[in-house]
Amino acid sequence: MTRVPRSSVVTYRDDGVLARGMGLLVAGQLPPLPPALAGAFVTGVMLFLGVAGADGPAVFAPAVVLMLAGPGSSHPHDGRLDWLVPPILRLTEYGFVACVGFAWNVPRVLVYALLGAMLFHHYDVVYRCRQHVYPPPWLASAGLGWEGRMLLVAFGALLGIVAPVFALLALYLSALFCWESVTCWLAAPRSGVEAADLGGHD
């Protein structure tokens, strides 16, 4: 099984390659909560200003959030309120994806499918951490991370191909997260205690 991390809060962030790379630049010296709040606020303002056109400011929100919240990925998240960071990132990601989908008249089934795939993954990660059955390190990278998914949706808006991007992303993430979750749980020890013991002796 995957080694138990020092802080499950970092696991809940679901950072991709880009966010983790930016975290390496600051070597854990940046507190994660203020930039995550700033990223959520900026995203909200940009969505309010407009998202329906390729020239709308909201399409640049993912890049702004990545620049703000990405460097905090390497912090141990051991502050009193750092547990708020993952929910803030989830709200930012889900809100952005939903707003782009509805503003561009993407079929609702595709919007809900993409949001459902992300929700399933995040719920699965939370439940795994509670049971000491931790997701493999490669899963967040393969799942593109919160920043990768937001950037792909933004690129779709810039290129005017939002619906195909939603369809392909929903299909890919659903297949990836469901397959990995099923195979992981089938291979996991039957009790959280056994899993914790295995994680501690890797």
Side-chain angles (χ1 to χ4, degrees):
M1 302 301 296
T2 303
R3 182 181 296 276
V4 177
R6 291 181 300 172
S7 172
S8 60
V9 177
V10 179
T11 305
Y12 296 152
R13 285 180 55 108
D14 194 29
D15 294 305
V17 175
L18 295 176
R20 293 198 303 270
M22 296 195 68
L24 294 176
L25 297 177
V26 298
Q29 300 303 310
L30 180 67
L33 183 57
L37 284 171
F41 175 77
V42 171
T43 299
V45 171
M46 287 184 167
L47 290 174
F48 178 78
L49 293 176
V51 69
D55 57 346
V59 296
F60 301 105
V64 175
V65 178
L66 175 61
M67 295 295 292
L68 290 171
S73 63
S74 59
H75 191 276
H77 290 61
D78 51 1
R80 180 174 296 181
L81 297 177
D82 286 349
W83 61 271
L84 290 169
V85 174
I88 291 171
L89 292 177
R90 297 292 77 76
L91 178 63
T92 304
E93 179 184 8
Y94 297 160
F96 178 79
V97 170
C99 287
V100 171
F102 293 134
W104 281 79
N105 295 317
V106 175
R108 291 193 175 187
V109 64
L110 293 180
V111 178
Y112 294 143
L114 179 53
L115 291 173
M118 296 188 299
L119 281 165
F120 170 81
H121 169 58
H122 293 138
Y123 174 81
D124 187 51
V125 169
V126 170
Y127 190 76
R128 287 192 199 193
C129 290
R130 290 179 177 177
Q131 299 298 318
H132 302 285
V133 182
Y134 292 89
W138 58 264
L139 183 59
S141 299
L144 308 177
W146 59 265
E147 79 283 6
R149 295 186 289 266
M150 289 180 66
L151 285 170
L152 278 180
V153 170
F155 285 145
L158 284 170
L159 299 176
I161 53 171
V162 181
V165 168
F166 268 67
L168 292 174
L169 198 54
L171 181 63
Y172 168 71
L173 294 178
S174 297
L176 172 68
F177 293 146
C178 289
W179 169 79
E180 197 283 327
S181 179
V182 169
T183 55
C184 178
W185 283 110
L186 289 176
R190 294 189 177 184
S191 72
V193 174
E194 294 175 18
D197 290 340
L198 285 173
H201 288 88
D202 281 348

